[in-house]
Amino acid sequence: MILIILTIVPVSLYELQIQKGFALYFLAKIFIVSFSFFDGAEYVSAPQNYKNNSIRIYSGYFSRPFINILFLGDISAEYHNTIIRGIDYSKVLKEKSPNSPISTSARISIIRHLERGFQNNHNQYNLSFTWHYHSKMNSIPIRWFFSEGISYAENVPYVEGLHTRRLSNERDSKVMNYMNVGFDFRLSDLMKNNKFSSYRIGLSNSHRSGIYKKIKLFNNTKGGSNYINLFLEYQF
């Protein structure tokens, strides 16, 4: 049901930019609505168990420029239809406290690029730090997150290379800046069933960037890539 709703989200979200500022807020609301048919009359949310490790699996497709996703909610697929599959491992470095709603973790990930025959499929490796902001939406706990780090791809992703070479005098780079931004919910809070308290579901944007030709390590490239991902995370 969620996947069906997400495919029809980009229906003139310009008004949302004015009203809410960030379209991710609206997409998070969609998640809540998607699970609203579960009966929670007898449900009492399980206490937060601060588990230090997590595994995330996800799948996504190449989408629009990062700013279009973040501010306009434009998550439509790019016409080459290249996709990724990924797995992350995360370790909490600093948990949130009564004095701060922010937790910090280190994350490593492996992403498999499926290039639809435009070039060979290949792997991408990311190392990043993630900051989670813990809050609530419609009384349901939600985590907003932002990751910053570095990425290495065995081949330059096909559509990314088209963009960077066009913007950077035919330059591209296997090493790029890496960002990941999005939100997630505990599945138990959405489904009103504490059997799923160790699982989270969410939406994120996986972004590689040359940082506007400023960094020699990134071959002074401009442009990059964005993949919208739906993910499931297990905490242990």
Side-chain angles (χ1 to χ4, degrees):
M1 181 176 180
I2 296 174
L3 289 174
I4 295 174
I5 293 175
L6 289 177
T7 59
I8 62 173
V9 166
V11 284
S12 182
L13 290 179
Y14 179 75
E15 295 85 357
L16 181 67
Q17 180 189 9
I18 298 173
Q19 295 174 9
K20 296 295 184 184
F22 293 93
L24 284 179
Y25 180 90
F26 178 76
L27 297 177
K29 286 279 191 179
I30 289 292
F31 265 65
I32 294 176
V33 171
S34 300
F35 284 91
S36 63
F37 58 88
F38 290 99
D39 182 12
E42 304 298 326
Y43 173 73
V44 177
S45 179
Q48 290 282 351
N49 294 319
Y50 297 119
K51 301 175 180 179
N52 290 330
N53 303 280
S54 66
I55 296 289
R56 177 188 294 182
I57 56 173
Y58 50 95
S59 180
Y61 54 85
F62 198 105
S63 189
R64 302 302 181 184
F66 184 65
I67 194 168
N68 287 32
I69 296 168
L70 192 61
F71 287 97
L72 301 179
D74 182 0
I75 61 173
S76 53
E78 195 269 346
Y79 68 91
H80 288 89
N81 293 312
T82 56
I83 61 177
I84 61 172
R85 305 267 197 272
I87 182 168
D88 293 1
Y89 167 74
S90 181
K91 175 74 172 180
V92 173
L93 302 178
K94 185 178 184 300
E95 190 51 79
K96 76 181 186 74
S97 69
N99 298 322
S100 173
I102 298 174
S103 60
T104 306
S105 59
R107 185 179 298 270
I108 59 174
S109 59
I110 301 175
I111 291 175
R112 184 67 175 172
H113 285 264
L114 305 178
E115 301 282 42
R116 301 292 197 186
F118 293 104
Q119 67 176 11
N120 291 335
N121 297 338
H122 59 95
N123 293 332
Q124 173 186 323
Y125 309 94
N126 310 308
L127 177 63
S128 62
F129 291 97
T130 301
W131 293 269
H132 284 96
Y133 178 78
H134 300 253
S135 61
K136 287 189 176 182
M137 178 180 290
N138 289 15
S139 76
I140 295 178
I142 180 175
R143 298 191 309 179
W144 306 95
F145 60 84
F146 171 79
S147 298
E148 171 62 37
I150 193 165
S151 171
Y152 171 79
E154 294 173 341
N155 292 320
V156 175
Y158 179 74
V159 181
E160 175 185 301
L162 295 179
H163 292 171
T164 57
R165 289 190 291 272
R166 177 174 58 84
L167 298 170
S168 311
N169 299 321
E170 298 304 313
R171 291 192 301 275
D172 56 29
S173 180
K174 292 182 178 180
V175 181
M176 296 284 259
N177 183 66
Y178 179 73
M179 294 172 58
N180 191 259
V181 61
F183 62 86
D184 62 34
F185 298 94
R186 284 199 307 177
L187 202 53
S188 59
D189 293 326
L190 293 174
M191 298 183 68
K192 313 301 183 187
N193 187 332
N194 285 326
K195 292 180 180 179
F196 302 101
S197 62
S198 294
Y199 297 88
R200 307 189 76 93
I201 189 171
L203 188 75
S204 72
N205 174 51
S206 179
H207 176 64
R208 274 169 47 99
S209 169
I211 315 185
Y212 302 101
K213 302 183 180 180
K214 302 297 184 182
I215 308 297
K216 185 177 180 180
L217 178 63
F218 307 146
N219 199 24
N220 299 112
T221 55
K222 182 179 180 180
S225 57
N226 297 281
Y227 288 86
I228 293 295
N229 304 289
L230 187 66
F231 66 82
L232 179 67
E233 185 169 322
Y234 173 67
Q235 296 178 297
F236 60 97

